[in-house]
PDB file of all heavy atoms in Angstrom:
ATOM      1  N   ILE A1425       7.029 -10.171  -2.637  1.00  0.00           N
ATOM      2  CA  ILE A1425       6.369  -9.424  -1.555  1.00  0.00           C
ATOM      3  C   ILE A1425       4.998  -9.268  -2.071  1.00  0.00           C
ATOM      4  O   ILE A1425       4.582  -8.917  -3.237  1.00  0.00           O
ATOM      5  CB  ILE A1425       7.103  -7.934  -1.465  1.00  0.00           C
ATOM      6  CG1 ILE A1425       8.561  -8.118  -1.168  1.00  0.00           C
ATOM      7  CG2 ILE A1425       6.373  -7.151  -0.451  1.00  0.00           C
ATOM      8  CD1 ILE A1425       9.428  -6.962  -1.508  1.00  0.00           C
ATOM      9  N   LEU A1439       4.946  -7.787  -5.717  1.00  0.00           N
ATOM     10  CA  LEU A1439       6.176  -7.273  -6.196  1.00  0.00           C
ATOM     11  C   LEU A1439       7.160  -8.460  -6.263  1.00  0.00           C
ATOM     12  O   LEU A1439       7.577  -8.986  -5.220  1.00  0.00           O
ATOM     13  CB  LEU A1439       6.738  -6.207  -5.206  1.00  0.00           C
ATOM     14  CG  LEU A1439       5.760  -5.083  -4.837  1.00  0.00           C
ATOM     15  CD1 LEU A1439       6.243  -4.212  -3.639  1.00  0.00           C
ATOM     16  CD2 LEU A1439       5.421  -4.296  -6.020  1.00  0.00           C
ATOM     17  N   HIS A1440       7.452  -8.756  -7.427  1.00  0.00           N
ATOM     18  CA  HIS A1440       8.204 -10.048  -7.683  1.00  0.00           C
ATOM     19  C   HIS A1440       9.663  -9.818  -7.773  1.00  0.00           C
ATOM     20  O   HIS A1440      10.115  -8.776  -8.168  1.00  0.00           O
ATOM     21  CB  HIS A1440       7.724 -10.793  -8.788  1.00  0.00           C
ATOM     22  CG  HIS A1440       6.341 -11.288  -8.707  1.00  0.00           C
ATOM     23  ND1 HIS A1440       5.887 -12.278  -7.928  1.00  0.00           N
ATOM     24  CD2 HIS A1440       5.134 -10.747  -9.261  1.00  0.00           C
ATOM     25  CE1 HIS A1440       4.628 -12.421  -7.998  1.00  0.00           C
ATOM     26  NE2 HIS A1440       4.120 -11.516  -8.825  1.00  0.00           N
ATOM     27  N   TRP A1470       3.411  -3.046 -13.868  1.00  0.00           N
ATOM     28  CA  TRP A1470       4.569  -2.115 -13.995  1.00  0.00           C
ATOM     29  C   TRP A1470       5.832  -2.946 -13.866  1.00  0.00           C
ATOM     30  O   TRP A1470       5.808  -4.058 -13.400  1.00  0.00           O
ATOM     31  CB  TRP A1470       4.502  -0.926 -13.083  1.00  0.00           C
ATOM     32  CG  TRP A1470       4.550  -1.372 -11.616  1.00  0.00           C
ATOM     33  CD1 TRP A1470       5.699  -1.478 -10.750  1.00  0.00           C
ATOM     34  CD2 TRP A1470       3.347  -1.717 -10.897  1.00  0.00           C
ATOM     35  NE1 TRP A1470       5.200  -1.949  -9.601  1.00  0.00           N
ATOM     36  CE2 TRP A1470       3.821  -2.029  -9.542  1.00  0.00           C
ATOM     37  CE3 TRP A1470       2.013  -1.778 -11.077  1.00  0.00           C
ATOM     38  CZ2 TRP A1470       3.008  -2.449  -8.468  1.00  0.00           C
ATOM     39  CZ3 TRP A1470       1.157  -2.233 -10.053  1.00  0.00           C
ATOM     40  CH2 TRP A1470       1.665  -2.529  -8.823  1.00  0.00           C
ATOM     41  N   ASP A1472      10.011  -2.645 -12.197  1.00  0.00           N
ATOM     42  CA  ASP A1472      10.890  -2.091 -11.258  1.00  0.00           C
ATOM     43  C   ASP A1472      11.613  -0.901 -11.976  1.00  0.00           C
ATOM     44  O   ASP A1472      12.236  -1.096 -13.001  1.00  0.00           O
ATOM     45  CB  ASP A1472      11.909  -3.050 -10.755  1.00  0.00           C
ATOM     46  CG  ASP A1472      12.911  -2.443  -9.819  1.00  0.00           C
ATOM     47  OD1 ASP A1472      12.652  -1.339  -9.361  1.00  0.00           O
ATOM     48  OD2 ASP A1472      13.886  -3.099  -9.557  1.00  0.00           O
ATOM     49  N   THR A1473      11.488   0.313 -11.420  1.00  0.00           N
ATOM     50  CA  THR A1473      12.094   1.464 -11.899  1.00  0.00           C
ATOM     51  C   THR A1473      13.527   1.668 -11.494  1.00  0.00           C
ATOM     52  O   THR A1473      14.277   2.511 -12.107  1.00  0.00           O
ATOM     53  CB  THR A1473      11.251   2.695 -11.573  1.00  0.00           C
ATOM     54  OG1 THR A1473      11.144   2.808 -10.184  1.00  0.00           O
ATOM     55  CG2 THR A1473       9.908   2.655 -12.214  1.00  0.00           C
ATOM     56  N   VAL A1475      14.816   3.136  -8.805  1.00  0.00           N
ATOM     57  CA  VAL A1475      15.025   4.426  -8.152  1.00  0.00           C
ATOM     58  C   VAL A1475      15.740   4.127  -6.791  1.00  0.00           C
ATOM     59  O   VAL A1475      15.337   3.326  -6.072  1.00  0.00           O
ATOM     60  CB  VAL A1475      13.706   5.114  -7.946  1.00  0.00           C
ATOM     61  CG1 VAL A1475      13.971   6.391  -7.124  1.00  0.00           C
ATOM     62  CG2 VAL A1475      13.022   5.606  -9.146  1.00  0.00           C
ATOM     63  N   LEU A1477      17.314   5.206  -3.031  1.00  0.00           N
ATOM     64  CA  LEU A1477      17.284   6.000  -1.869  1.00  0.00           C
ATOM     65  C   LEU A1477      18.442   5.843  -1.104  1.00  0.00           C
ATOM     66  O   LEU A1477      18.456   4.896  -0.135  1.00  0.00           O
ATOM     67  CB  LEU A1477      16.012   5.732  -1.122  1.00  0.00           C
ATOM     68  CG  LEU A1477      14.680   5.708  -1.751  1.00  0.00           C
ATOM     69  CD1 LEU A1477      13.521   5.169  -0.864  1.00  0.00           C
ATOM     70  CD2 LEU A1477      14.271   7.178  -2.290  1.00  0.00           C
ATOM     71  N   LYS A1481      16.935   0.528  -2.759  1.00  0.00           N
ATOM     72  CA  LYS A1481      16.224   0.682  -3.942  1.00  0.00           C
ATOM     73  C   LYS A1481      14.683   0.752  -3.690  1.00  0.00           C
ATOM     74  O   LYS A1481      14.249  -0.191  -2.991  1.00  0.00           O
ATOM     75  CB  LYS A1481      16.540  -0.476  -4.974  1.00  0.00           C
ATOM     76  CG  LYS A1481      15.801  -0.280  -6.333  1.00  0.00           C
ATOM     77  CD  LYS A1481      16.289  -1.325  -7.290  1.00  0.00           C
ATOM     78  CE  LYS A1481      15.800  -2.822  -6.892  1.00  0.00           C
ATOM     79  NZ  LYS A1481      15.926  -3.750  -7.969  1.00  0.00           N
ATOM     80  N   ALA A1482      14.121   1.766  -4.113  1.00  0.00           N
ATOM     81  CA  ALA A1482      12.658   1.982  -3.830  1.00  0.00           C
ATOM     82  C   ALA A1482      11.840   0.972  -4.714  1.00  0.00           C
ATOM     83  O   ALA A1482      12.107   0.772  -5.914  1.00  0.00           O
ATOM     84  CB  ALA A1482      12.192   3.322  -4.109  1.00  0.00           C
ATOM     85  N   LEU A1483      10.814   0.329  -4.143  1.00  0.00           N
ATOM     86  CA  LEU A1483      10.080  -0.699  -4.854  1.00  0.00           C
ATOM     87  C   LEU A1483       8.625  -0.148  -5.080  1.00  0.00           C
ATOM     88  O   LEU A1483       8.167  -0.182  -6.210  1.00  0.00           O
ATOM     89  CB  LEU A1483       9.919  -2.001  -4.115  1.00  0.00           C
ATOM     90  CG  LEU A1483      11.211  -2.795  -3.842  1.00  0.00           C
ATOM     91  CD1 LEU A1483      10.876  -4.043  -3.044  1.00  0.00           C
ATOM     92  CD2 LEU A1483      11.835  -3.075  -5.184  1.00  0.00           C
ATOM     93  N   PHE A1484       7.936   0.392  -4.086  1.00  0.00           N
ATOM     94  CA  PHE A1484       6.506   0.643  -4.117  1.00  0.00           C
ATOM     95  C   PHE A1484       6.248   1.578  -2.899  1.00  0.00           C
ATOM     96  O   PHE A1484       6.830   1.530  -1.927  1.00  0.00           O
ATOM     97  CB  PHE A1484       5.831  -0.612  -4.052  1.00  0.00           C
ATOM     98  CG  PHE A1484       4.312  -0.435  -4.479  1.00  0.00           C
ATOM     99  CD1 PHE A1484       3.883  -0.340  -5.745  1.00  0.00           C
ATOM    100  CD2 PHE A1484       3.318  -0.458  -3.398  1.00  0.00           C
ATOM    101  CE1 PHE A1484       2.537  -0.274  -5.999  1.00  0.00           C
ATOM    102  CE2 PHE A1484       1.973  -0.348  -3.716  1.00  0.00           C
ATOM    103  CZ  PHE A1484       1.587  -0.197  -5.020  1.00  0.00           C
ATOM    104  N   PHE A1485       5.146   2.387  -3.061  1.00  0.00           N
ATOM    105  CA  PHE A1485       4.696   3.200  -1.855  1.00  0.00           C
ATOM    106  C   PHE A1485       3.095   3.159  -1.839  1.00  0.00           C
ATOM    107  O   PHE A1485       2.412   3.009  -2.745  1.00  0.00           O
ATOM    108  CB  PHE A1485       5.214   4.658  -1.973  1.00  0.00           C
ATOM    109  CG  PHE A1485       4.651   5.432  -2.992  1.00  0.00           C
ATOM    110  CD1 PHE A1485       3.501   6.291  -2.706  1.00  0.00           C
ATOM    111  CD2 PHE A1485       5.092   5.464  -4.391  1.00  0.00           C
ATOM    112  CE1 PHE A1485       2.884   7.050  -3.672  1.00  0.00           C
ATOM    113  CE2 PHE A1485       4.483   6.274  -5.302  1.00  0.00           C
ATOM    114  CZ  PHE A1485       3.388   7.039  -5.051  1.00  0.00           C
ATOM    115  N   MET A1519       6.996   3.767   2.227  1.00  0.00           N
ATOM    116  CA  MET A1519       7.841   3.372   1.014  1.00  0.00           C
ATOM    117  C   MET A1519       8.336   1.954   1.401  1.00  0.00           C
ATOM    118  O   MET A1519       8.905   1.733   2.520  1.00  0.00           O
ATOM    119  CB  MET A1519       8.880   4.283   0.877  1.00  0.00           C
ATOM    120  CG  MET A1519       9.905   3.913  -0.228  1.00  0.00           C
ATOM    121  SD  MET A1519       9.066   4.071  -1.935  1.00  0.00           S
ATOM    122  CE  MET A1519       9.190   5.818  -2.064  1.00  0.00           C
ATOM    123  N   LEU A1520       8.183   1.057   0.465  1.00  0.00           N
ATOM    124  CA  LEU A1520       8.934  -0.281   0.578  1.00  0.00           C
ATOM    125  C   LEU A1520      10.160  -0.234  -0.319  1.00  0.00           C
ATOM    126  O   LEU A1520      10.203   0.300  -1.419  1.00  0.00           O
ATOM    127  CB  LEU A1520       8.084  -1.382   0.075  1.00  0.00           C
ATOM    128  CG  LEU A1520       6.660  -1.645   0.850  1.00  0.00           C
ATOM    129  CD1 LEU A1520       5.989  -2.812   0.205  1.00  0.00           C
ATOM    130  CD2 LEU A1520       7.008  -1.882   2.300  1.00  0.00           C
ATOM    131  N   ALA A1521      11.285  -0.661   0.326  1.00  0.00           N
ATOM    132  CA  ALA A1521      12.560  -0.544  -0.333  1.00  0.00           C
ATOM    133  C   ALA A1521      13.381  -1.736   0.028  1.00  0.00           C
ATOM    134  O   ALA A1521      13.238  -2.325   1.159  1.00  0.00           O
ATOM    135  CB  ALA A1521      13.298   0.782   0.023  1.00  0.00           C
ATOM    136  N   VAL A1522      14.456  -2.101  -0.762  1.00  0.00           N
ATOM    137  CA  VAL A1522      15.322  -3.174  -0.420  1.00  0.00           C
ATOM    138  C   VAL A1522      16.780  -2.582  -0.394  1.00  0.00           C
ATOM    139  O   VAL A1522      17.033  -1.626  -1.042  1.00  0.00           O
ATOM    140  CB  VAL A1522      15.314  -4.241  -1.436  1.00  0.00           C
ATOM    141  CG1 VAL A1522      14.030  -5.080  -1.349  1.00  0.00           C
ATOM    142  CG2 VAL A1522      15.522  -3.706  -2.807  1.00  0.00           C
ATOM    143  N   MET A1547      15.374 -11.107   3.418  1.00  0.00           N
ATOM    144  CA  MET A1547      14.882 -11.928   2.403  1.00  0.00           C
ATOM    145  C   MET A1547      15.839 -13.109   2.072  1.00  0.00           C
ATOM    146  O   MET A1547      16.944 -13.220   2.694  1.00  0.00           O
ATOM    147  CB  MET A1547      14.510 -11.135   1.168  1.00  0.00           C
ATOM    148  CG  MET A1547      13.490 -10.122   1.394  1.00  0.00           C
ATOM    149  SD  MET A1547      12.757  -9.251  -0.068  1.00  0.00           S
ATOM    150  CE  MET A1547      14.211  -8.434  -0.525  1.00  0.00           C
ATOM    151  N   ARG A1551      19.193  -9.698   1.239  1.00  0.00           N
ATOM    152  CA  ARG A1551      18.837  -8.231   1.310  1.00  0.00           C
ATOM    153  C   ARG A1551      17.857  -8.057   2.353  1.00  0.00           C
ATOM    154  O   ARG A1551      17.092  -8.897   2.818  1.00  0.00           O
ATOM    155  CB  ARG A1551      18.373  -7.773  -0.068  1.00  0.00           C
ATOM    156  CG  ARG A1551      19.424  -7.822  -1.159  1.00  0.00           C
ATOM    157  CD  ARG A1551      18.759  -7.292  -2.475  1.00  0.00           C
ATOM    158  NE  ARG A1551      17.644  -8.076  -2.855  1.00  0.00           N
ATOM    159  CZ  ARG A1551      16.661  -7.720  -3.665  1.00  0.00           C
ATOM    160  NH1 ARG A1551      16.801  -6.551  -4.308  1.00  0.00           N
ATOM    161  NH2 ARG A1551      15.760  -8.483  -4.029  1.00  0.00           N
ATOM    162  N   LEU A1553      14.374  -6.009   3.343  1.00  0.00           N
ATOM    163  CA  LEU A1553      13.167  -5.339   2.976  1.00  0.00           C
ATOM    164  C   LEU A1553      12.898  -4.236   4.036  1.00  0.00           C
ATOM    165  O   LEU A1553      12.755  -4.601   5.210  1.00  0.00           O
ATOM    166  CB  LEU A1553      11.959  -6.199   2.701  1.00  0.00           C
ATOM    167  CG  LEU A1553      10.547  -5.502   2.455  1.00  0.00           C
ATOM    168  CD1 LEU A1553      10.650  -4.729   1.199  1.00  0.00           C
ATOM    169  CD2 LEU A1553       9.422  -6.443   2.539  1.00  0.00           C
ATOM    170  N   VAL A1604       8.576   6.407  -8.720  1.00  0.00           N
ATOM    171  CA  VAL A1604       8.410   5.048  -8.050  1.00  0.00           C
ATOM    172  C   VAL A1604       6.936   4.850  -8.104  1.00  0.00           C
ATOM    173  O   VAL A1604       6.104   5.733  -7.897  1.00  0.00           O
ATOM    174  CB  VAL A1604       8.841   5.235  -6.565  1.00  0.00           C
ATOM    175  CG1 VAL A1604       8.547   4.011  -5.758  1.00  0.00           C
ATOM    176  CG2 VAL A1604      10.213   5.653  -6.363  1.00  0.00           C
ATOM    177  N   PRO A1605       6.578   3.557  -8.432  1.00  0.00           N
ATOM    178  CA  PRO A1605       5.051   3.236  -8.507  1.00  0.00           C
ATOM    179  C   PRO A1605       4.441   3.094  -7.147  1.00  0.00           C
ATOM    180  O   PRO A1605       5.028   2.813  -6.193  1.00  0.00           O
ATOM    181  CB  PRO A1605       5.075   1.867  -9.211  1.00  0.00           C
ATOM    182  CG  PRO A1605       6.391   1.222  -8.859  1.00  0.00           C
ATOM    183  CD  PRO A1605       7.374   2.427  -8.764  1.00  0.00           C
ATOM    184  N   GLY A1606       3.119   3.513  -7.051  1.00  0.00           N
ATOM    185  CA  GLY A1606       2.467   3.348  -5.768  1.00  0.00           C
ATOM    186  C   GLY A1606       0.917   3.530  -5.969  1.00  0.00           C
ATOM    187  O   GLY A1606       0.439   3.514  -7.108  1.00  0.00           O
TER     188      GLY A1606
END
Side-chain angles (χ1 to χ4, degrees):
I1425 303 157
L1439 309 172
H1440 297 287
W1470 60 92
D1472 177 15
T1473 55
V1475 176
L1477 305 173
K1481 182 172 71 171
L1483 296 179
F1484 191 79
F1485 73 92
M1519 180 71 75
L1520 297 181
V1522 291
M1547 299 191 293
R1551 293 179 304 163
L1553 171 66
V1604 180

